[in-house]
Structures are given as structure tokens and as C-alpha cells.
């Protein structure tokens, strides 16, 4: 087959996917950028062109946006080390042929099998001030003075939601890392053992380098998940986002602007900024974790 025919065949196979991607992803994105340039309440056909005013107000005059962004960064700053360290530790332990490993995998993955709404409702009961499991436990062990309204106090509302977010997502990363570790040939570990390597040395010099691409993928997932978090926060705080916006995130703020205050143009500008922030953090993460891939 001539080279020109090969190129036409490749174009013919790729064209449907590229067209669908343009229709369902690129076009809505371009439309969002366009709407962000207007003052629009979402129902009227009349839109007032304001240029970059929505972006200027959002970035320079809106303290709630910066508060929401700081909460997203708290989610990211706590979730990233906790999920990576605990996920790697548990998955490494399970990969060592621990008794009941299959059962543990199912247990760790269980939170991901249920809806995020169900998780939020479940934990809202756990945190309930009057009959919640957490306060009941503290009272049972004599720590009644620490019992509080976990989702209603400014000092505990955000950490309480971050704990639930980690609990919900941890199982996915354990299974992801475990799948990567089980694909590493045992001969590498046997060679390390013959050389006198300890478990820690095998983990550091064999597991981590061979797992690096999956670790990179896990970090990107975490960045996107924590900066995009919405449903869990919204449901567990009943849409109030804590006292004085103490659990407000970028997307809960966007939802409130668009569907409660009917400020679609401004909310779309927030969506555009959130997209650019997520893209920037993802690219920075890829850049920081760039290293030569180890093939095996």
C-alpha cells in the first residue's frame, strides 16, 4: 500500500473520534469561554457584553473565590501525601501474599462501589452532634469534652470533609498501585534479596522506579479529583458549605452562583479559571515527576 493510501486510511479511522471530540468537548469549551465574557442570568436571550470584567472581579474583588480555592488546595495538600503514603504501604503489604489479600482488596475498594451521595449522607450521620457515631464513641471512652458539631464548627468542618474525601478515594489508589506492583516480575525482588537488600531497600530501589508511571498517573488523578471536588462537599454540608463558607470549594461556589443566584456569566468565568488552574497543576505535576521510564 502506498504511503498516501496509508495516510488516508489513518485519517478515515481517526476522523469520527476527532469529530465527536470537537462536538462534545472543544465546542462546549469554546462556548464557555464566550459566555464568560457576558453578564447573563441564564434565561434571557439578552446578554450584556462586559469583556474580561467577570475575570477581573473574580480574581481581584471576590474573597469567596480565594477562600474556595484555598480549601481546594487544603484538600490537595492533605490528600496527596496521605493517599500516596498509605496507598503505597497497604498495596505493598498486600502484594507480599498476605493471607486474605483478596478480601482486603474488596474491603478497601468498597467505598468506591457506592455513590458519593450515599457516602456523604452516611458520614453526615457519623458526624451528627446529637446521635453521631463519632461523638458517641468519644463519650464512651471518657473524651466527652471533645464531642462537638463536627460539620458546624469552623475549626472542624473542613478537616472533617477532607477525612471523608480521603476515606472515599483511598481504595481506588490502593488497587491501582497493587495492580502495578503485581505486574513487576518477581525475579527483580529475588535478585535484590540475593544481593542482601532489605524490604525497605527493595521497595525503594525496585518497586518505586518500576511503579513510577503509575505513581504519576495517581498524582494526576488526585490533582484533578481534589480541585474538582463538588458532590461530597455539597451533600455532606446540605448545600450550605459549612459555617461562613468554611467548606466552600470552587465548584460548590460555581454551582451556587449559577443555579441559586442565576449569575451564569460570572459562574462560567469561574469555571474557565478552574479549568485553567487544574490544567496548570496537572502540567506542573507531570513536569516535576518527569524522569526516564524504566522498561521491564
Amino acid at each position: 500500500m502506498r504511503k498516501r493510501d496509508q495516510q488516508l486510511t489513518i485519517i478515515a479511522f481517526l476522523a469520527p473520534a476527532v469529530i465527536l471530540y470537537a462536538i462534545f468537548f472543544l465546542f462546549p469549551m469554546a462556548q464557555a469561554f464566550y459566555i464568560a465574557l457576558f453578564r447573563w442570568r441564564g434565561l434571557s436571550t439578552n446578554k450584556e457584553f462586559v469583556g474580561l470584567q467577570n475575570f477581573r472581579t473574580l480574581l481581584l474583588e471576590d474573597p469567596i473565590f480565594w477562600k474556595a480555592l484555598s480549601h481546594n488546595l487544603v484538600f490537595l495538600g492533605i490528600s496527596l501525601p496521605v493517599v500516596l503514603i498509605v496507598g503505597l504501604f497497604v498495596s505493598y503489604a498486600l502484594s507480599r501474599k498476605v493471607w486474605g489479600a483478596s478480601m482486603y482488596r474488596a474491603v478497601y475498594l468498597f467505598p468506591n462501589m457506592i455513590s458519593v451521595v450515599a457516602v456523604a449522607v452516611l458520614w453526615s450521620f457519623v458526624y451528627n452532634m446529637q446521635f453521631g457515631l463519632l461523638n458517641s464513641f468519644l463519650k464512651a471512652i471518657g473524651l466527652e469534652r471533645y464531642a462537638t458539631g463536627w460539620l458546624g464548627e469552623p475549626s472542624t468542618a473542613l478537616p472533617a470533609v477532607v477525612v471523608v474525601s480521603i476515606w472515599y478515594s483511598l481504595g481506588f489508589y490502593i488497587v491501582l498501585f497493587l495492580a502495578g506492583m503485581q505486574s513487576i516480575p518477581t525475579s527483580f525482588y529475588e535478585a535484590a534479596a540475593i544481593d542482601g537488600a532489605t524490604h525497605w531497600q527493595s521497595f525503594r530501589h525496585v518497586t518505586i522506579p518500576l511503579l513510577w508511571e503509575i505513581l504519576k498517573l495517581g498524582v494526576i488523578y488526585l490533582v484533578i479529583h481534589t480541585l474538582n471536588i463538588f458532590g461530597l462537599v455539597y451533600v455532606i454540608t446540605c448545600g450550605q458549605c459549612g459555617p461562613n463558607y468554611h467548606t466552600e470549594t470552587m465548584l460548590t461556589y460555581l454551582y451556587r452562583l449559577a443555579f441559586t443566584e442565576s449569575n451564569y456569566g460570572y459562574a462560567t468565568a469561574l469555571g474557565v479559571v478552574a479549568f485553567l488552574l487544574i490544567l496548570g497543576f496537572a502540567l506542573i505535576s507531570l513536569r516535576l515527576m518527569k524522569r526516564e521510564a524504566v522498561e521491564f
Side-chain angles (χ1 to χ4, degrees):
M1 185 181 292
R2 292 180 303 173
K3 186 175 181 180
R4 180 179 174 80
D5 293 336
Q6 288 180 336
Q7 290 176 342
L8 290 175
T9 303
I10 293 173
I11 292 173
F13 276 103
L14 289 179
V18 172
I19 292 172
L20 290 175
Y21 185 79
I23 293 174
F24 294 106
F25 185 75
L26 296 181
F27 177 70
M29 280 189 60
Q31 192 177 35
F33 278 89
Y34 176 71
I35 292 175
L37 303 176
F38 290 85
R39 182 178 291 115
W40 184 43
R41 298 190 63 80
L43 296 177
S44 171
T45 55
N46 296 322
K47 304 185 186 74
E48 180 186 354
F49 181 77
V50 294
L52 298 177
Q53 178 64 35
N54 285 331
F55 294 98
R56 193 184 73 80
T57 304
L58 183 73
L59 297 174
L60 302 179
E61 302 175 10
D62 191 343
I64 301 177
F65 165 72
W66 290 105
K67 194 168 189 175
L69 175 58
S70 71
H71 295 160
N72 280 103
L73 295 178
V74 169
F75 271 94
L76 176 61
I78 297 177
S79 299
L80 191 61
V82 172
V83 169
L84 288 182
I85 294 172
V86 176
L88 281 172
F89 174 79
V90 175
S91 54
Y92 184 74
L94 291 177
S95 70
R96 300 292 91 187
K97 302 186 185 304
V98 177
W99 180 85
S102 300
M103 180 187 70
Y104 293 136
R105 280 199 295 269
V107 169
Y108 289 126
L109 196 58
F110 177 73
N112 289 100
M113 298 178 184
I114 55 180
S115 163
V116 67
V117 175
V119 169
V121 173
L122 172 70
W123 277 89
S124 67
F125 285 121
V126 171
Y127 285 137
N128 188 280
M129 186 175 182
Q130 301 299 328
F131 54 83
L133 185 64
L134 182 55
N135 280 349
S136 298
F137 175 73
L138 291 174
K139 293 172 184 176
I141 61 174
L143 296 176
E144 186 174 354
R145 62 184 180 280
Y146 294 112
T148 184
W150 296 95
L151 296 173
E153 294 292 333
S155 60
T156 58
L158 185 60
V161 181
V162 172
V163 168
V164 181
S165 174
I166 292 173
W167 179 85
Y168 178 68
S169 59
L170 182 60
F172 168 78
Y173 295 96
I174 290 175
V175 174
L176 179 69
F177 297 152
L178 180 60
M181 290 180 187
Q182 287 179 332
S183 68
I184 299 174
T186 55
S187 57
F188 286 85
Y189 294 106
E190 292 169 355
I194 291 173
D195 290 339
T198 63
H199 283 294
W200 166 247
Q201 290 170 328
S202 293
F203 178 76
R204 181 182 175 188
H205 299 294
V206 177
T207 303
I208 293 297
L210 297 180
L211 198 67
W212 192 254
E213 292 302 313
I214 292 179
L215 276 175
K216 189 191 298 183
L217 180 66
V219 169
I220 298 301
Y221 275 156
L222 266 173
V223 168
I224 295 172
H225 168 70
T226 52
L227 296 182
N228 258 336
I229 192 164
F230 168 73
L232 180 66
V233 178
Y234 189 80
V235 176
I236 201 171
T237 60
C238 301
Q240 302 301 314
C241 292
N244 195 23
Y245 309 110
H246 272 79
T247 58
E248 188 85 271
T249 63
M250 287 193 292
L251 293 197
T252 58
Y253 186 38
L254 184 155
Y255 181 88
R256 188 155 55 82
L257 288 169
F259 299 104
T260 302
E261 302 178 10
S262 297
N263 195 350
Y264 277 81
Y266 192 65
T268 306
L270 172 55
V272 171
V273 172
F275 166 75
L276 294 176
L277 283 172
I278 293 169
L279 180 64
F281 274 99
L283 292 176
I284 290 171
S285 302
L286 285 174
R287 179 68 180 172
L288 292 177
M289 298 187 72
K290 185 178 180 181
R291 60 186 293 182
E292 187 176 351
V294 179
E295 297 182 357
F296 58 93

